[in-house]
Amino acid sequence: MQNATALLLLLLHSAAGSLTTLKDDAQFEAEVVQDPVVWGVLFTSKTRDDDAKSKAMLQAAHGLAAGLGHLMRWGRADIQDCKAFASEFNVRTRMVPRVLLFSSRARMADVIRLEGEPTEEALEAAVRAALGDQVSDEAKWMKTTLAIGGKEDL
């Protein structure tokens, strides 16, 4: 019985998700861009880690990674460690902390803007608003694939 309880706790913990630290551009490409599941990435800067807004946004991202981890993935990327992607998505030091939502298989991302204080609830509401009817709470949120051309009545 103890083994079954331990296994259940392990499964629940792994299903909850966590904030993945993206250490370099290669890991960012492999885990975020190539993954078919929706990703939220918090871009930060080591020079601003002590800033109150950065701390609040990091706390909100950790909470959302745990709360929505069964539906989508969350990561944290320092703009110095992931320079190519910070540049590609126009994230500068003066702009951090900044959350980008990767919800398409195309190389594009939506900037998640928050009104007021960065809280877990505000961040979740902004993410859900950005995704619209693309998602449900029954299955992992998958990135959309953009189709160009083809029959309109398919």
Side-chain angles (χ1 to χ4, degrees), residues 57-77:
M57 189 66 95
L58 183 59
Q59 183 178 358
H62 271 292
L64 211 51
L68 291 181
H70 63 292
L71 298 172
M72 65 179 288
R73 294 191 173 90
W74 282 90
R76 177 186 184 183

Side-chain angles (χ1 to χ4, degrees), residues 2 4 6 9-11 14 22 28-29 32 39 51 53 72-73 85 105 111 115 119 123 125 146 149-150 153:
Q2 283 182 326
L9 288 174
L10 179 65
L11 289 172
S14 64
L22 302 162
F28 195 106
E29 175 74 32
V32 178
W39 272 79
D51 169 301
K53 185 176 180 183
M72 65 179 288
R73 294 191 173 90
F85 283 99
R105 298 284 297 173
V111 176
E115 300 292 326
T119 64
L123 186 54
L146 302 177
D153 58 348

Side-chain angles (χ1 to χ4, degrees), residues 5-33:
T5 304
L7 180 61
L8 180 60
L9 288 174
L10 179 65
L11 289 172
L12 287 174
H13 176 70
S14 64
S18 62
L19 192 65
T20 301
T21 299
L22 302 162
K23 295 178 175 66
D24 56 31
D25 290 316
Q27 183 184 9
F28 195 106
E29 175 74 32
E31 293 198 35
V32 178
V33 177

Side-chain angles (χ1 to χ4, degrees), residues 27-46:
Q27 183 184 9
F28 195 106
E29 175 74 32
E31 293 198 35
V32 178
V33 177
Q34 298 300 318
D35 194 346
V37 175
V38 171
W39 272 79
V41 177
L42 172 63
F43 280 88
T44 60
S45 173
K46 292 176 186 111

Side-chain angles (χ1 to χ4, degrees), residues 52-116:
K53 185 176 180 183
S54 293
K55 287 180 180 179
M57 189 66 95
L58 183 59
Q59 183 178 358
H62 271 292
L64 211 51
L68 291 181
H70 63 292
L71 298 172
M72 65 179 288
R73 294 191 173 90
W74 282 90
R76 177 186 184 183
D78 186 279
I79 61 170
Q80 294 304 314
D81 297 336
C82 299
K83 287 181 183 179
F85 283 99
S87 177
E88 181 176 343
F89 295 105
N90 196 31
V91 180
R92 307 286 183 257
T93 303
R94 70 181 186 281
M95 300 173 173
V96 298
R98 173 166 275 187
V99 175
L100 295 183
L101 185 66
F102 294 83
S103 61
S104 169
R105 298 284 297 173
R107 292 184 78 90
M108 53 193 247
D110 297 313
V111 176
I112 300 298
R113 301 188 193 286
L114 300 179
E115 300 292 326

